[in-house]
């Protein structure tokens, strides 16, 4: 019966589940194996024998009166099983009883065989005769062996089982990791040697198993540990041991017992104290490195700011041609020094992993125009032809990180001009054949007719502090970091960078990145920050460095602004007690009250007019953490030193522009400045809703999930966020009320990750800020940030659902 044979082979797992069901129901599992594979071995042995018998016999085998069943080929299977089970101490009645249920499993299987009535009758009889012969063979073997031989066989088998038990007990006791066995009620069942040493102190292996000690088990401590492990979202737990406070990764494993005789839990502890200590030290070193970078950035940028600023102001005074020549040399040298410092700081930030990816709508052609505006004069000075080629089929508006794309293009174009003595520089943008992160990629290239790249080892050019050879550094200068920075920035965006030698000389450096088409189809219109429209202002300049003060006053005076200076934060507060200003420029690092502390005092002033004065923080430190701190403290803008006249003008215009069209956009301690929303007169309410939703959620994240994972999986991600995170936010409220800042920080970290996964950028940003505040032990700051987070979360949930509905309605797929 080929049909029945095929069914037997195909339904192996069904047969296992069926026999285990019968064994549990009738109480046989008390005497059987705990592991599924042991049951599988039994089913496989029976099924193979039955399939072979169906192949050999044309009819169900007969049971002849004078037949020697110990020699029958089917009965031989029962004989072998008789010897095996007898040695295990199984009685004849137990074996025959369970065999009846094995027989029943194969009878039950016939119901699914799709057989005719005659075929079913034939196969049922065949199964019955097959198991009759197995049982007869078993009984024949069982009765043919004398009792003394059976006893010796059982004793020998018992010795083997005892040795096997001792082997596994020795393995258990020899494990380096502490292991605790708990019974089904959670009570302590056994400890291995490592666990005994951890809770009691060292003793001989097996002390707990053989129970020769009278000491009580640390039941309460282990149960408390189990509870913490079950509740914790983090696998690392600290607790007191005989060796002091140690940190462990805790793993819980239910007993893998299919018979359900042993329903306990295995608790495995892996000591990660030294690893955690090393990690903490590394994080402390990284924080110290960041602090050092911030300090060095400030200490080096401050005098450079003075040098370049004074040189700029000197341009307004009468100078001889020789003096103008010297002045150009000072400016050029200062600019080169600034470039070297920026490279070092940029690479340090990338190395520290503090580069964040921005996803916004942008105008591709404007980026190319910016690059051309910066470098075309340099190319013209060397009489190089400069051109930009763009595929006209590309959409005008895309979605990605325009800042990083611009930075890479600026760096590659700068290199091309630097290493090209004659010929041309060409920037090209076109659609790439590559697929990156599941979407088509865009290809950017910068081609030159310069010195070219080596045929071999061109990949080394993207390693830090690397140039073609020492002569390159002598001739052209530089740190050898520019291309390494480009490589890391491109990789952060999910792309790759490369270079090649052109056939007609020179080289081409290119990169491709995934870019999505703008969902809006066109960028939202915002009021441009036009420096030329800014009226003369009354400005309070708070700056402790005399040279920088002189430079900034000179820049402001050029534009007709009236300036009052203060050398420190205390002086600034004294001045503000008597008068108000249109704008405050505040240095971040000053003796006494720091810029941020002074800013906090200003925001706390009783006078609403003075407490709401727009403040731009100026700093030589450009680390992201320091800029975020400024906005959390209530700053309206941030201006990095050294700055040029036009950069100061833009910062002031942008700050005042934001105040004009978004009066509440002062940060308010949220860690992220409030979005600029057009007034009701300028746009419809629908436009405002779209703008607000865009500030809450990055639609491209959900689009990417749909493209890469499919609609059903993407929907599960959204549903999981909507159903699970409310409990997290509620628990954070409880943590805040209880002062449990460590738990609050952990939950904020988890919420940040979850929000990023569905594109809720505002919630993620606030959760990140809250985590930092909580880990710093700042209760009041955490409370303020949580209030903002709670509000943003409440607004983000319907926004997330709305974006999902829009995507499903429009069947939008990400394209480049």
């Amino acid at each position: 019966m080929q049909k029945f044979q095929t069914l037997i082979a195909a339904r192996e797992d069904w047969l296992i589940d069926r026999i285990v069901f019968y064994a549990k129901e009738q109480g046989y599992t008390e005497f059987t194996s705990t592991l599924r594979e042991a049951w599988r071995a039994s089913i496989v042995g029976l099924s193979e024998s039955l399939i072979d018998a169906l192949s050999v016999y044309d009819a169900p085998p007969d049971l002849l009166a004078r037949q020697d069943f110990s020699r029958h080929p089917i009965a031989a299977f029962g004989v072998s099983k008789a010897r095996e089970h007898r040695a295990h101490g199984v009685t004849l009645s137990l074996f025959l009883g369970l065999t009846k249920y094995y027989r029943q499993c194969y009878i039950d299987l016939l119901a699914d065989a799709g057989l005719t009535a005659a075929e079913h009758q034939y196969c049922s009889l065949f199964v019955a005769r097959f198991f009759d012969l197995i049982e007869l063979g078993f009984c024949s073997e069982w009765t043919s062996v004398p009792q003394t031989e059976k006893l010796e066989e059982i004793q020998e088998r018992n010795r083997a089982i005892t040795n096997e038990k001792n082997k596994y007990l020795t393995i258990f006791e020899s494990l380096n990791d502490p292991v605790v066995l708990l019974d089904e009620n959670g009570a302590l069942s056994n400890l291995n040697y490592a666990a005994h040493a951890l809770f009691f102190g060292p003793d001989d292996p097996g002390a707990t198993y053989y129970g020769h000690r009278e000491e009580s088990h640390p039941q309460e401590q282990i149960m408390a540990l189990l509870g913490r492990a079950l509740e914790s979202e983090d696998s690392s737990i600290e607790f007191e041991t005989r060796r002091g406070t140690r940190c462990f990764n805790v793993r819980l494993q239910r007993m893998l017992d299919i018979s359900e005789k042993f329903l306990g839990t295995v608790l495995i502890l892996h000591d990660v104290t030294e690893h955690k200590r090393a990690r903490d030290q590394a994080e402390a070193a990284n924080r110290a490195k960041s602090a050092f970078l911030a300090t060095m950035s400030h200490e080096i940028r401050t005098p450079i700011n003075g040098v370049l600023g004074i040189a700029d102001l000197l341009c307004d005074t009468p100078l001889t041609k020789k003096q103008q020549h010297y002045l150009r040399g000072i400016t050029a040298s200062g600019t080169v020094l600034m470039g070297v410092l920026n490279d070092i700081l940029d690479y340090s930030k990338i190395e520290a992993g503090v580069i964040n990816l921005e996803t916004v709508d942008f105008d591709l052609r404007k980026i190319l125009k910016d690059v051309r505006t910066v470098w075309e004069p340099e190319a013209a000075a060397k009489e190089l032809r400069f051109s930009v080629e763009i595929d006209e089929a590309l959409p005008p508006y895309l979605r990605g990180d325009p800042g990083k794309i611009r930075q890479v293009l600026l760096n590659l174009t700068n290199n091309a001009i630097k290493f090209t003595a004659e010929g041309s520089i060409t920037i090209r943008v076109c659609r790439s054949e590559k697929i990156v992160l599941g979407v088509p990629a865009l290809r950017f290239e910068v081609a030159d007719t310069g010195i070219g790249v080596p045929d071999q080892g061109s990949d080394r050019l993207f390693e830090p502090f690397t140039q073609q050879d020492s002569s390159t550094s002598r001739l052209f200068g530089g740190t050898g970091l520019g291309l390494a920075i480009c490589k890391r920035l491109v990789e952060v965006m999910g792309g790759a960078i490369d270079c090649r030698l052109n056939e007609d000389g020179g080289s081409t450096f290119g990169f491709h990145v995934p870019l999505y088409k703008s969902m809006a189809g066109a960028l939202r219109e915002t009021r441009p920050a036009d420096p030329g429209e800014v009226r003369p202002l009354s400005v309070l300049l708070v700056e402790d460095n005399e040279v920088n003060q002189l430079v900034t006053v000179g820049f402001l005076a050029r534009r007709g602004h009236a300036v009052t200076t203060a050398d420190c934060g205390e002086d600034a507060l004294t001045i503000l007690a008597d008068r108000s200003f249109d704008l405050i420029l505040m240095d971040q690092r000053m003796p006494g009250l720091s810029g941020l502390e002074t800013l906090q005092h200003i925001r706390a002033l009783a006078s609403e007019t003075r407490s709401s004065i727009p403040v731009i923080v100026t700093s030589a430190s450009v680390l992201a953490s320091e800029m975020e701190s400024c906005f959390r403290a209530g700053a309206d803008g941030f201006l990095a030193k050294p700055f040029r006249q036009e950069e100061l003008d833009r910062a002031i215009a942008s700050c005042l522009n934001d105040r004009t069209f978004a009066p509440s956009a002062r940060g308010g301690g949220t860690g992220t400045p409030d979005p600029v929303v057009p007034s009701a007169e300028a746009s419809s309410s629908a436009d405002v809703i779209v703008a607000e939703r865009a500030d809450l959620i990055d639609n491209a994240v959900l689009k990417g999930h749909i493209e890469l994972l499919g609609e059903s999986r993407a929907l599960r991600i959204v549903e999981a966020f909507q159903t699970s995170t409310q409990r997290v936010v509620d628990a954070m409220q409880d943590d805040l009320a209880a002062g449990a800042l460590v738990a609050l920080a952990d939950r904020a970290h988890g919420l940040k990750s979850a929000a990023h996964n569905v594109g809720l950028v505002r919630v993620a940003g606030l959760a990140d800020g809250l985590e930092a505040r909580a880990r710093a032990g700042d209760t009041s700051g955490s409370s303020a940030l949580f209030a903002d987070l709670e509000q943003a979360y409440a607004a983000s949930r319907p926004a997330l659902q709305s974006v999902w509905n829009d995507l499903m309605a429009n069947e939008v797929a990400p394209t480049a």
Side-chain angles (χ1 to χ4, degrees), residues 113 158 161 211 333 349 356 363 485 521 541 557 625 689:
N158 187 57
I161 291 173
S333 297
K349 287 191 292 183
N356 296 318
D363 185 343
I485 292 170
L541 173 62
S625 59
I689 292 171

Side-chain angles (χ1 to χ4, degrees), residues 262-506:
F262 309 114
L263 297 178
T265 302
V266 183
L267 194 66
I268 305 171
L269 309 175
H270 180 59
D271 193 333
V272 294
T273 306
E274 300 307 321
H275 171 75
K276 182 176 182 297
R277 184 177 293 124
R279 186 186 65 190
D280 291 344
Q281 289 174 348
E283 289 176 352
N286 194 47
R287 287 192 296 271
K289 174 185 175 182
S290 296
F292 173 77
L293 282 173
T295 301
M296 291 308 298
S297 171
H298 183 270
E299 294 303 319
I300 297 175
R301 283 174 179 267
T302 295
I304 295 177
N305 183 55
V307 171
L308 294 178
I310 293 294
D312 191 2
L313 293 174
L314 273 175
C315 292
D316 293 341
T317 65
L319 299 173
T320 66
K321 289 186 177 180
K322 181 175 287 189
Q323 289 170 332
Q324 290 174 354
H325 176 71
Y326 291 157
L327 185 57
R328 285 194 296 270
I330 292 172
T331 302
S333 297
T335 302
V336 169
L337 181 58
M338 198 67 236
V340 171
L341 178 62
N342 286 337
D343 278 353
I344 294 172
L345 290 174
D346 281 347
Y347 189 76
S348 297
K349 287 191 292 183
I350 290 172
E351 194 178 43
V354 295
I355 297 297
N356 296 318
L357 187 64
E358 182 183 30
T359 306
V360 297
D361 293 338
F362 67 91
D363 185 343
L364 174 62
R365 286 158 180 80
K366 184 178 183 304
I367 289 180
L368 298 174
K369 181 180 178 182
D370 291 344
V371 175
R372 183 167 194 158
T373 299
V374 171
W375 291 122
E376 192 169 35
E378 294 288 331
K382 298 181 70 172
E383 298 182 352
L384 300 174
R385 295 184 301 278
F386 192 102
S387 61
V388 176
E389 300 173 2
I390 183 169
D391 183 351
E392 292 301 324
L394 293 174
Y397 299 108
L398 298 171
R399 191 164 181 82
D401 193 324
K404 291 182 178 57
I405 293 172
R406 183 185 291 108
Q407 185 175 352
V408 174
L409 283 175
L410 285 170
N411 205 321
L412 295 181
T413 307
N414 180 30
N415 278 355
I417 295 172
K418 182 193 299 184
F419 297 116
T420 303
E422 58 181 4
S424 63
I425 307 295
T426 304
I427 301 176
R428 303 189 189 97
V429 187
C430 61
R431 188 180 297 273
S432 173
E433 296 180 356
K434 294 183 178 293
I435 299 296
V436 181
L437 300 181
V439 299
L442 211 57
R443 174 75 177 176
F444 296 84
E445 290 186 345
V446 178
D448 62 60
T449 56
I451 64 174
V453 293
D455 292 331
Q456 302 295 329
S458 59
D459 289 345
R460 289 186 61 251
L461 294 176
F462 297 103
E463 296 177 6
F465 309 107
T466 300
Q467 294 185 333
Q468 287 196 31
D469 52 47
S470 58
S471 63
T472 302
S473 179
R474 289 195 302 271
L475 285 171
F476 301 102
T479 60
L481 284 174
L483 290 177
I485 292 170
C486 290
K487 182 175 187 289
R488 296 298 296 273
L489 291 176
V490 170
E491 289 173 346
V492 165
M493 291 186 283
I497 193 168
D498 56 73
C499 65
R500 68 174 186 270
L501 186 65
N502 297 334
E503 291 183 1
D504 54 352

Side-chain angles (χ1 to χ4, degrees), residues 709-753:
L709 305 176
E711 180 182 330
S712 61
R713 290 186 179 179
L715 178 60
R716 286 202 295 271
I717 293 173
V718 173
E719 290 175 340
F721 179 88
Q722 298 283 44
T723 57
S724 67
T725 52
Q726 184 61 62
R727 295 192 301 271
V728 175
V729 174
D730 293 341
M732 291 166 74
Q733 177 71 70
D734 296 338
D735 292 336
L736 196 58
L741 295 186
V742 174
L744 177 64
D746 291 341
R747 293 189 209 279
H749 181 81
L751 180 61
K752 174 179 68 175
S753 176

Side-chain angles (χ1 to χ4, degrees), residues 455-750:
D455 292 331
Q456 302 295 329
S458 59
D459 289 345
R460 289 186 61 251
L461 294 176
F462 297 103
E463 296 177 6
F465 309 107
T466 300
Q467 294 185 333
Q468 287 196 31
D469 52 47
S470 58
S471 63
T472 302
S473 179
R474 289 195 302 271
L475 285 171
F476 301 102
T479 60
L481 284 174
L483 290 177
I485 292 170
C486 290
K487 182 175 187 289
R488 296 298 296 273
L489 291 176
V490 170
E491 289 173 346
V492 165
M493 291 186 283
I497 193 168
D498 56 73
C499 65
R500 68 174 186 270
L501 186 65
N502 297 334
E503 291 183 1
D504 54 352
S507 58
T508 296
F509 283 77
F511 63 98
H512 54 263
V513 292
L515 288 176
Y516 302 97
K517 185 177 180 180
S518 167
M519 290 195 66
L523 299 180
R524 282 181 292 154
E525 293 296 328
T526 58
R527 297 287 187 93
D530 185 355
E533 295 182 359
V534 175
R535 61 177 175 81
L537 306 171
S538 60
V539 180
L540 174 61
L541 173 62
V542 189
E543 170 66 69
D544 66 304
N545 184 278
E546 183 179 354
V547 175
N548 284 343
Q549 193 179 99
L550 180 63
V551 169
T552 308
V553 169
F555 285 169
L556 292 169
R558 272 179 174 175
R559 300 300 186 236
H561 303 309
V563 186
T564 300
T565 60
D567 296 332
C568 61
E570 291 85 351
D571 288 350
L573 295 175
T574 300
I575 294 171
L576 284 170
D578 296 326
R579 55 179 295 198
S580 185
F581 295 86
D582 296 321
L583 178 70
I584 298 174
L585 286 175
M586 177 85 66
D587 185 29
Q588 184 176 359
R589 297 197 176 201
M590 297 182 294
L593 282 178
S594 70
L596 298 190
E597 290 169 337
T598 306
L599 178 54
Q600 289 167 347
H601 282 291
I602 293 172
R603 295 306 182 212
L605 291 174
S607 168
E608 183 176 350
T609 301
R610 293 172 191 174
S611 67
S612 60
I613 297 173
V615 177
I616 298 175
V617 174
T618 63
S619 176
S621 173
V622 291
L623 295 181
S625 59
E626 300 232 3
M627 287 186 273
E628 289 171 5
S629 298
C630 295
F631 289 116
R632 290 195 189 104
D636 295 89
F638 183 93
L639 182 58
K641 295 179 182 178
F643 50 80
R644 299 188 300 273
Q645 176 80 63
E646 57 270 23
E647 291 169 336
L648 175 61
D649 293 342
R650 280 198 299 269
I652 293 174
S654 177
C655 176
L656 297 180
N657 183 69
D658 289 349
R659 278 302 185 90
T660 300
F661 301 107
S664 63
R666 196 176 68 225
T670 64
T672 305
D674 291 338
V676 177
V677 180
S679 63
E681 293 80 10
S683 62
S684 68
S685 60
D687 292 333
V688 175
I689 292 171
V690 170
E692 290 174 344
R693 192 177 80 177
D695 289 312
L696 291 172
I697 182 169
D698 177 7
N699 303 349
V701 175
L702 291 184
K703 290 173 65 181
H705 287 332
I706 294 170
E707 176 72 20
L708 294 175
L709 305 176
E711 180 182 330
S712 61
R713 290 186 179 179
L715 178 60
R716 286 202 295 271
I717 293 173
V718 173
E719 290 175 340
F721 179 88
Q722 298 283 44
T723 57
S724 67
T725 52
Q726 184 61 62
R727 295 192 301 271
V728 175
V729 174
D730 293 341
M732 291 166 74
Q733 177 71 70
D734 296 338
D735 292 336
L736 196 58
L741 295 186
V742 174
L744 177 64
D746 291 341
R747 293 189 209 279
H749 181 81

